[in-house]
């Protein structure tokens, strides 16, 4: 296969692989809890570049409407390793890269031993995100999102 054909094939594989996350695309408003405190949230997910990446920006607000947490996640399908991945960016110059795997009807960030588990689940026209720490019986963060 010549270089141009290989490049085109890579793009097709990447777009097909990322399509399992299409349910996340859009602007969302959420409500939930973060460490037992009630929160509201926004989530904006959009395709970027040639549609082979999804950019997701999430902002959590405390009860007073102040920003409690903000992050950006860059999702892609890696055609070389045939897997979904996320690059997660947070304040204080924090960066992490994780594979994503389906578990039941949710997609889980595979974060490694001792790290929190993040799950994203489509739910009745919306979606739910959960963060659960190892050894804890329930998620510390649960947010139910509806279209904005």
């Amino acid at each position: 296969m010549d270089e141009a054909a290989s490049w085109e094939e890579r793009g097709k594989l990447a777009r097909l692989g990322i399509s399992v996350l299409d349910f996340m695309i859009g602007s969302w408003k959420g409500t939930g809890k973060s460490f037992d405190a009630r929160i509201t949230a926004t989530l904006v997910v959009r395709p970027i570049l040639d549609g082979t990446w999804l950019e997701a920006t999430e902002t959590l607000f405390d009860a007073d409407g102040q920003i409690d947490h903000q992050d950006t996640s860059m999702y892609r399908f890696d055609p070389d390793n045939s897997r979904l991945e996320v690059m997660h960016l947070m304040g204080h110059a924090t960066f992490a890269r994780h594979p994503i795997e389906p578990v039941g009807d949710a997609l889980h960030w595979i974060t490694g031993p001792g790290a929190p588990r993040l799950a994203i689940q489509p739910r009745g026209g919306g979606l739910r995100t959960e963060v659960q720490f190892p050894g804890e019986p329930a998620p510390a963060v649960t947010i139910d999102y509806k279209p904005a």
Side-chain angles (χ1 to χ4, degrees), residues 15 52 73 90 144:
R15 280 187 288 283
T52 60
S73 298
M90 295 189 305
D144 289 307

Side-chain angles (χ1 to χ4, degrees), residues 20 22-23 33-34 59 61 65 67 74 76 79 98 110 113 115 137 142:
V20 300
D22 282 353
F23 72 92
K33 70 174 182 75
S34 177
T59 305
F61 301 91
I67 293 175
M74 305 293 290
R76 76 173 186 142
H98 306 290
I110 307 305
T142 302

Side-chain angles (χ1 to χ4, degrees), residues 1-11:
M1 181 180 306
D2 70 19
E3 190 173 317
S6 178
W7 180 250
E8 288 303 314
E9 183 63 19
R10 178 181 176 82

Side-chain angles (χ1 to χ4, degrees), residues 69-71 89-95:
H69 173 83
Q70 204 167 29
D71 64 50
L89 311 170
M90 295 189 305
H92 303 284
T94 303
F95 164 82

Side-chain angles (χ1 to χ4, degrees), residues 59-97:
T59 305
L60 308 185
F61 301 91
D62 65 20
D64 295 327
Q66 299 299 309
I67 293 175
D68 182 54
H69 173 83
Q70 204 167 29
D71 64 50
T72 297
S73 298
M74 305 293 290
Y75 294 92
R76 76 173 186 142
F77 180 80
D78 175 5
D80 297 327
N81 294 299
S82 298
R83 70 179 190 186
L84 286 167
E85 292 184 326
V86 62
M87 287 191 305
H88 186 221
L89 311 170
M90 295 189 305
H92 303 284
T94 303
F95 164 82
R97 183 173 163 183

Side-chain angles (χ1 to χ4, degrees), residues 98-99 109-117 134:
H98 306 290
W109 293 14
I110 307 305
T111 55
R117 168 195 60 83

Side-chain angles (χ1 to χ4, degrees), residues 133-146:
F133 289 87
E136 294 296 318
V141 179
T142 302
I143 305 170
D144 289 307
Y145 284 101
K146 301 290 182 209

Side-chain angles (χ1 to χ4, degrees), residues 97-112:
R97 183 173 163 183
H98 306 290
I100 300 172
E101 295 180 0
V103 178
D105 63 349
L107 294 165
H108 288 237
W109 293 14
I110 307 305
T111 55

